[in-house]
Amino acid sequence: MSESSVERPGVSEFWSSLSTEGRWLLSTVVVQTLGRGLTLPFTIIYMNEVRGISLDLAGLLMAFIAVVALAVTGPGGVLVDRVGARRMLLFSTSCQLVGCVVIAFATTPLLFALGFAFLGINFGVSWPAFNALVAAVTTGETRQQYFGINFALINLGIGVGGIIGGFYADVTDATTFTVIFLADAASMLVPILLLLGPLRHVQGLAERPADDDAPGSYLAILRQPAVVWLTALTFLGTFVGYGQIEAGLPAFARSVNEVSTRVIGFGFAVNTATIVLLQFVVLRRISGRRRTRVLVVMTALWAVAWLTLGLTGVVAGTLAAAIGVLAFNGVFALGETLLQPTIPAITNDMAPDHLRGRYNAISAGAFQAGTILGPVVAGVMIDHGWSWAFIAMIVAGCSAMAVLALVVERLITPAVNGIAGPAAPLTDPATGEQVVAD
C-alpha cells in the first residue's frame, strides 16, 4: 500500500475504532484540562501580585516544577512497568489534586514550593503512565490519531479555562485565586473517578515474554540507536519549541518586537484556536504517511515561524510587528499539530509492551530537560541583546531536527514509521497481554 493510497479516516471512523475504554479516556480530557487552564496563565501573577513574592523568586519556583518532574520521570517509568499505568496515573493525578489545594492557600515561598513539588511529581509520572495507558487501549493508526486528538482537546480545555480564569481572577481579591486553584483540584476528581470506575480493569501492565531475555534497564534501552536519536530529536524539539514558547517568545515579542501584552495574549489565543480547528484535518492528511517525513515538514514550519518573528523585529512597535507575532503563533501551532501525533506514536509503536513505561519516561525526560534549558538560554541571549543570534540558533535547531528525523527513519521499521507493514498485535486492555485477532 502506497502512502498516497491510504484511506483517510474521519471522525466517525476514528470514534468507532476506539474501544469503550479508549472512549472513556478521551471523553474526559477537556474537563480535567479546563481546570488546568484556569490556573496556568495566572500562577506567577498570583505569587507576585497577590502573595507578594518577587518575580525572580516566583520564576525560580515555577522552574522547580520541571526540576521535580525530571527527577521523578525515571523512577516513574519503572513503576509504570512494574505496577501498571492505571495505578501510577491514579497516584500522579492525586498528587496534582493535593498540589493545587496547597497552592490555593499558600502564602509563603516554602508552601508554594511544597505545592509545586506535588505538581512536578504529577507532570513527571503522568506522561509515561498516560501514554502507556493509551497504548494499552489503542493500536495502529488509531493510536496516532488518539495522540493528536488528545492534544487538541487539551488545548481546548486549557484555552477555555484560561478565558474563564481571566474574567474571574482579580488581583485585588485573593479569594478569587483560591477558588480557581480549588477548581483545578476538583477537576482532577474526574480522571480519578474514571480510573476507579469504568477503567478500573485497565491496568496497562504487560508480562515480560518468556522468550525475551534482553535486559530492560534504561541503559540497555538507550543503547538502541533508534531510541538515542529519537530522544535527541525530542529534546531538540522541546528546546526550540515548547522551551521557548513560554519564555523566548514573550521576551522577544516584548523587548525586540515591542508589542503590547495584549498582542501576546491574542497570540496565544491564535495558537490554541489553530490547534483545535486544524488538528483533525491534519490527522487525516498525515494518515498512512511516514511519520519522520511529517516531522521534517513540521521543522520547516517552525523555522518559517521563527524567521517571521525575527524579521518583523525590524519594524518594532508597528502594526506589522504585531501581525508578525500573531502569524508566528498560527504557523507554530500548525507545526505542533504535526509533532504531537508522531513522536508519541513512534515511541509507543517501538516499545515492547512490558517496557512501555520506560520508553515513555525517556521521552518525557528529554521533554523536561528541554523545558528547563530552553528558557535559560533564551533569557541570557535576549537579555544581552543577541536577538538575531537567538533566531539563528532556533532556525539552526529546526534544521538539525530535520536531519535527526531522517536518521531515525533509517533505524525504525515501516510499521513504526506509520506506513504499510505487519499489523500491530492487539492488546487486551484488562491484562495488557497480546491477543490474536479473529
Side-chain angles (χ1 to χ4, degrees):
M1 184 185 298
S2 68
E3 294 182 47
S4 59
S5 64
V6 174
E7 182 181 353
R8 313 296 181 198
V11 177
S12 59
E13 289 84 356
F14 165 74
W15 187 254
S16 63
S17 69
L18 279 180
S19 63
T20 301
E21 295 80 10
R23 294 174 186 173
W24 271 113
L25 201 58
L26 190 63
S27 61
T28 58
V29 170
V30 173
V31 177
Q32 65 187 86
T33 54
L34 187 145
R36 185 69 184 132
L38 285 172
T39 60
L40 182 62
F42 311 109
T43 303
I44 197 165
I45 296 173
Y46 172 49
M47 285 191 287
N48 177 240
E49 298 189 34
V50 179
R51 299 306 189 190
I53 297 174
S54 63
L55 278 175
D56 55 350
L57 179 56
L60 288 173
L61 287 169
M62 292 288 287
F64 182 60
I65 300 175
V67 173
V68 173
L70 182 60
V72 303
T73 294
V78 173
L79 288 171
V80 167
D81 290 332
R82 290 183 177 177
V83 305
R86 186 189 71 91
R87 290 176 180 173
M88 293 308 298
L89 190 58
L90 188 59
F91 165 74
S92 64
T93 306
S94 299
C95 286
Q96 175 78 12
L97 188 154
V98 173
C100 288
V101 172
V102 172
I103 295 168
F105 298 101
T107 56
T108 66
L110 184 60
L111 284 174
F112 275 106
L114 176 63
F116 287 157
F118 280 104
L119 264 58
I121 292 171
N122 172 60
F123 294 156
V125 174
S126 63
W127 182 320
F130 179 79
N131 281 3
L133 199 63
V134 170
V137 299
T138 60
T139 187
E141 187 64 31
T142 302
R143 182 177 294 165
Q144 174 173 290
Q145 291 179 304
Y146 194 106
F147 283 121
I149 293 173
N150 181 74
F151 177 62
L153 293 177
I154 288 174
N155 276 270
L156 177 60
I158 290 177
V160 173
I163 293 171
I164 296 173
F167 278 107
Y168 180 74
D170 182 357
V171 294
T172 65
D173 184 359
T175 304
T176 60
F177 285 89
T178 299
V179 169
I180 62 174
F181 275 98
L182 290 178
D184 190 358
S187 70
M188 293 301 105
L189 293 174
V190 174
I192 289 174
L193 292 174
L194 180 68
L195 293 166
L196 292 175
L199 294 180
R200 62 186 180 278
H201 62 285
V202 182
Q203 300 302 326
L205 179 65
E207 294 294 331
R208 180 173 180 168
D211 58 350
D212 183 2
D213 57 358
S217 66
Y218 281 115
L219 183 59
I221 295 172
L222 286 169
R223 286 196 179 114
Q224 301 176 51
V227 175
V228 172
W229 292 113
L230 184 63
T231 302
L233 177 61
T234 302
F235 167 77
L236 193 55
T238 308
F239 176 79
V240 304
Y242 296 107
Q244 306 299 340
I245 197 71
E246 294 182 3
L249 168 62
F252 194 96
R254 285 291 292 159
S255 62
V256 180
N257 290 57
E258 298 179 6
V259 301
S260 67
T261 54
R262 180 174 298 180
V263 170
I264 296 173
F266 276 124
F268 278 97
V270 169
N271 180 282
T272 299
T274 301
I275 292 169
V276 172
L277 294 174
L278 295 183
Q279 182 67 82
F280 201 87
V281 175
V282 169
L283 284 170
R284 295 194 66 185
R285 296 294 300 169
I286 68 175
S287 177
R289 301 187 185 277
R290 288 182 176 88
R291 292 163 179 165
T292 48
R293 302 294 174 89
V294 172
L295 288 170
V296 170
V297 175
M298 182 275 295
T299 63
L301 288 170
W302 277 9
V304 169
W306 284 107
L307 283 171
T308 300
L309 185 70
L311 291 173
T312 51
V314 177
V315 288
T318 67
L319 177 61
I323 293 174
V325 171
L326 298 179
F328 167 89
N329 279 279
V331 178
F332 184 89
L334 181 58
E336 289 182 83
T337 65
L338 298 173
L339 175 68
Q340 289 300 325
T342 46
I343 287 185
I346 292 173
T347 301
N348 283 277
D349 284 351
M350 183 192 305
D353 288 342
H354 67 291
L355 295 177
R356 209 175 297 282
R358 290 174 173 87
Y359 274 75
N360 279 291
I362 291 171
S363 181
F367 184 94
Q368 301 292 355
T371 58
I372 293 172
L373 184 61
V376 173
V377 173
V380 170
M381 296 187 74
I382 295 174
D383 185 58
H384 283 77
W386 303 334
S387 57
W388 283 109
F390 172 74
I391 295 295
M393 177 193 69
I394 298 297
V395 173
C398 291
S399 300
M401 283 185 68
V403 173
L404 288 175
L406 295 176
V407 171
V408 170
E409 181 175 303
R410 296 169 61 88
L411 299 172
I412 59 177
T413 65
V416 171
N417 207 9
I419 57 175
L426 297 175
T427 301
D428 186 328
T431 64
E433 296 178 354
Q434 294 180 359
V435 297
V436 178
D438 294 332

